[in-house]
Amino acid sequence: MESGPAIFAGVVFALFGATLLTWTVTRVRHREPVAHGVNPVASATLASLASVIMLGLGTWCLTRV
């Protein structure tokens, strides 16, 4: 019973991280801003860092099952 929430959290973190990373890469490749009104390099870096952290959290949750 305790593994259910860990599986759910791991999948949510992994999906969010993968989606954010895909979206960020797509925006950068098309030379479009990741966030409006912010330095393009800083916003791409911050979004990439957040997506890698989310993927790491998802992996950590799924290894605790």
Side-chain angles (χ1 to χ4, degrees):
M1 294 303 279
E2 294 177 1
S3 64
I7 293 170
F8 178 75
V11 169
V12 168
F13 281 132
L15 283 175
F16 179 74
T19 304
L20 181 61
L21 187 61
T22 302
W23 181 79
T24 303
V25 168
T26 302
R27 299 290 286 188
V28 168
R29 281 190 179 179
H30 291 170
R31 300 198 186 277
E32 297 174 355
V34 176
H36 292 286
V38 182
N39 183 353
V41 175
S43 63
T45 303
L46 185 61
S48 298
L49 181 64
S51 64
V52 169
I53 290 171
M54 292 299 128
L55 285 170
L57 280 172
T59 303
W60 181 78
C61 287
L62 290 174
T63 58
R64 299 293 172 193
V65 174

